[in-house]
Each structure stands twice: as C-alpha cells, then as structure tokens.
Amino acid sequence: MNRPNRPPRRLCLLLALLLGILPGCGRSAAPSRSADGIRVGVALYQQNDTFIATIVSSLEAAAREREADEGLKITLNITDGRGSQATQNEQIDRFLSTGYDVICVNLVDRTAAAVIVDKAKSAGIPLIFFNREPVREDIMRWDKVYYVGAEAGKSGVMQGELVAEAYRADPEALDRSGDGVLQYVMLEGEPGHQDSLLRTEYSIKAVTSANVTTEKLANDTANWNRGQAASRMSQWIDQFGGRIEVVFANNDDMALGALDACHAAGVEPLPFVVGIDATPPACESMRAGELRGSVYNDSPGQAKAILDLSVALAKGRSPSEAVSFKEEKYIWLPYHKVTPETLDEVVPPAE
Ligand code: BGC
C-alpha cells in the first residue's frame, strides 16, 4: 500500500540502523550488553573431559582475578556440548543471538568451524577456538578468529624423549625381555583430533631417532577416555601378557586407564607407562611411582591467554598488546616434560 505522508520504509530502516535503535537487527540490537562488564560464552566439546575441566577451572580463576584487579565484571557462560556438534551449534547460536561480547569454542568436530565462523562474522562477534584446532582456512576466514592451544607434535617428541632417556639411564628396567627392542602398545585419542595424530607419530619418531629400537604390539583409539583405555589394555594383557614393556598414551586419562587394567589383571612389575597433560590425578599417580612420565599441557597458561584475548576483544583494545601471537591468529603455549623427579618444579599446584 502507498503511504504518501510517511518516509519510505527503507529510509527508516537505514536511519534506525545508523542510530543503533532497531530491535532484532545486527549487533546494535543485541540484548543488554552491559556498559562496564563483559560477557564471554564458552562452548565445550565435553565438560567431563579431565583436561578440559582443568582449563575451565583455570579460566574461572583467571576471570575472578582479573575482576578483582580491574574492577571489571566478567560473566563466563560455560556450556557442555556433550560430544554433539548439533547441541554445540545450538549453544553457540544462543550466544550469538543474546549479544555475547566474545565466544570461545572448543569444537566437538574440528571440521565444523566454517559455519560457526560465518555466523559469528555476520553478527560481528569475535571467536576464539581452543584445544581442538580448526583447519587453517577456517581460521583465516575472518580477521576476528583466533586459536589458543599447544603444538601437538612437540608433546609427542617430548613423550618419546622421556622413554628414550629412561631407557638410556637403565636399559634393563624398560627392556625386560633383554632382546634390545622395546615392545610397546599405543593408546590413541579421538581419531581426527590433531593431538592424536601428531602425538602418535612423533612419540615413536623421537624414540627411534634416539637409536632405540621399538616394536609395536598393538594400537587402538580409546577416545581420551580412562574406561575405554582400561578395556583396550585388558585385551592386550590377555593377548601379550608380560611382553608389553612400554605403554604410550596420547593423554594421561588413557595412561591411568592402562594402569587400572594392569592392577585388575595383577600385572607385576608394571610396564613403563607414559601420558600427556600432567593432570592432577596423573601427578598423584607419578608421586605413587606408577605413571612414569607425562608432558605438561599448560591449562592455566591457555586459560589466561583465552581470557586476556577475550577482554581485549570485548573492550576493543589491540589483541597483540594482550597476548603474543604467531601470524596474528595463533597463540601457542609451550609443553614441558615431567618425570616424578621434576614434577614439583614443573607443574604448578592445581587451582
Ligand atoms: C588433551 C586431552 C583431551 C583433549 C580434548 C588434548 O589436548 O591432551 O587430554 O582429552 O585435548 O580435546
């Protein structure tokens, strides 16, 4: 219908957008962005993952500290994707439509990033991926997309070095059959996760490049999970008995699962079991002399980087003044080797 006395509808829309008053459109319409506080949405792939739980508690501690130091209100809304990308997408959609300042995503499926980046870009809300790394093309899709993590290959190398160093120090303790070869099994994380692929490959490469000969008895995925690792390991104990000299596990939870299976089957002496993360239960096991080594995956460092970057982005400050980047996109926290002897010096007490 023609309404001659009113300005054209398109002009109204444009004016409203310019003045930032149009409900339901674009960023300006996002509900209640608080003037002095910031709201950060954190979408986890699985909250009951031991390592992810350590990132969350460090993130909460870092936020409280920052609030106290700066008098800045920081609201962290943490959601659990429970291993479903569809569930996580809904959670992210809710953050996008309710005006969060920054969204931090621990993807369920590393290949699902592009759609999330495109939605965040059209809402103008920066994204920080962490721990589960999207492919580079997805990170490069928009300039306000970042990644916080640790270089997986390096943790594999360190884990291999831990085994090679222990072997060099006392060959008979590891090579119990005395055949000059280390018979091992490999417990792998989720298939397709960058850490599973690279840790599996680089740990063995590091052992062989230290001139230690290895023989793989078996490998399988246990999806980062202690229970699944225990059941794989008990099958291998039935199959190989005392021939298993070393257990490489892509993370500590699976290393602890392997030890659970050894205890259940009464395996004595224990094989040389190594993990990655240096989580609190793994440190306890190292103190008890069971887990023989791990690689510290710096969750407080990663949490602090996520928080510092979130605050900078939410406040419109320069991200490179808050964190140090590689290629203005990636923030890498270093890994550190941990043995029972170096544990107290390398791993800070849990939050
Ligand atoms: C950790 C694992 C964790 C996984 C989850 C890895 O970096 O080492 O413990 O289960 O991330 O994505």
Side-chain angles (χ1 to χ4, degrees), residues 45 49 51-52 131-132 193 195 199 224 250-251 277 297:
Y45 97 98
D49 176 295
F51 177 70
I52 296 302
N131 171 259
R132 300 163 73 94
H193 192 302
D195 292 348
R199 288 172 183 172
W224 305 122
N250 286 171
N251 78 345
D277 286 336
N297 193 358

Side-chain angles (χ1 to χ4, degrees), residues 6-23 25 28-29:
R6 301 173 69 176
R9 187 172 156 73
R10 244 193 272 148
L11 187 63
C12 290
L13 283 172
L14 187 67
L15 276 173
L17 274 171
L18 288 172
L19 294 170
I21 55 169
L22 186 74
C25 281
S28 54

Side-chain angles (χ1 to χ4, degrees), residues 2-315:
N2 206 4
R3 293 192 184 99
N5 296 331
R6 301 173 69 176
R9 187 172 156 73
R10 244 193 272 148
L11 187 63
C12 290
L13 283 172
L14 187 67
L15 276 173
L17 274 171
L18 288 172
L19 294 170
I21 55 169
L22 186 74
C25 281
R27 259 198 116 183
S28 54
S32 64
R33 266 161 202 276
S34 115
D36 46 4
I38 67 168
R39 296 203 299 162
V40 181
V42 184
L44 305 178
Y45 97 98
Q46 184 88 260
Q47 191 151 18
N48 68 8
D49 176 295
T50 308
F51 177 70
I52 296 302
T54 65
I55 294 199
V56 171
S57 57
S58 298
L59 197 54
E60 282 166 340
R64 299 299 77 88
E65 203 172 298
R66 190 83 193 244
E67 283 190 325
D69 289 353
E70 280 189 32
L72 171 73
K73 172 100 190 89
I74 302 175
T75 305
L76 294 178
N77 186 349
I78 293 167
T79 58
D80 183 359
R82 298 184 303 278
S84 154
Q85 190 59 57
T87 304
Q88 182 171 71
N89 285 349
E90 282 165 20
Q91 294 164 340
I92 294 170
D93 286 347
R94 223 164 301 130
F95 290 144
L96 289 168
S97 64
T98 50
Y100 274 71
D101 294 285
V102 181
I103 303 175
C104 306
V105 183
N106 176 222
L107 283 167
V108 175
D109 173 357
R110 288 173 62 215
T111 63
V115 174
I116 298 170
V117 173
D118 291 347
K119 285 186 190 167
K121 184 177 176 183
S122 54
I125 301 178
L127 276 180
I128 304 173
F129 290 104
F130 65 99
N131 171 259
R132 300 163 73 94
E133 189 186 341
V135 293
R136 199 182 150 77
E137 291 99 284
D138 291 344
I139 295 280
M140 296 299 168
R141 246 175 133 82
W142 181 36
D143 61 347
K144 290 200 167 57
V145 179
Y146 305 89
Y147 180 73
V148 175
E151 287 174 288
K154 294 194 176 158
S155 56
V157 170
M158 289 182 190
Q159 190 184 52
E161 287 172 356
L162 283 169
V163 172
E165 283 155 14
Y167 177 77
R168 231 175 281 126
D170 186 359
E172 289 84 42
L174 275 81
D175 178 20
R176 289 199 310 257
S177 66
D179 65 354
V181 177
L182 286 185
Q183 275 79 20
Y184 74 90
V185 294
M186 174 75 70
L187 284 162
E188 297 168 11
E190 279 169 282
H193 192 302
Q194 79 279 347
D195 292 348
S196 313
L197 305 167
L198 296 168
R199 288 172 183 172
T200 299
E201 179 184 348
Y202 283 88
S203 54
I204 301 306
K205 275 194 176 153
V207 180
T208 32
S209 62
N211 294 323
V212 180
T213 312
T214 59
E215 178 191 353
K216 181 169 77 183
L217 297 177
N219 66 302
D220 204 350
T221 178
N223 293 305
W224 305 122
N225 182 283
R226 183 167 178 160
Q228 289 183 33
S231 83
R232 300 284 172 283
M233 185 68 184
S234 44
Q235 286 161 10
W236 293 337
I237 293 170
D238 289 345
Q239 202 175 339
F240 305 109
R243 288 187 66 215
I244 305 171
E245 294 172 332
V246 180
V247 179
F248 291 88
N250 286 171
N251 78 345
D252 284 343
D253 262 16
M254 296 189 294
L256 296 175
L259 287 164
D260 294 339
C262 292
H263 290 307
V267 173
E268 267 297 330
L270 291 169
F272 194 91
V273 182
V274 283
I276 291 180
D277 286 336
T279 57
C283 292
E284 233 173 80
S285 173
M286 271 190 273
R287 282 196 186 91
E290 302 209 327
L291 183 65
R292 304 302 295 275
S294 186
V295 177
Y296 181 52
N297 193 358
D298 184 0
S299 47
Q302 292 173 36
K304 186 174 181 314
I306 293 168
L307 190 80
D308 289 350
L309 184 54
S310 298
V311 173
L313 291 166
K315 288 280 175 194

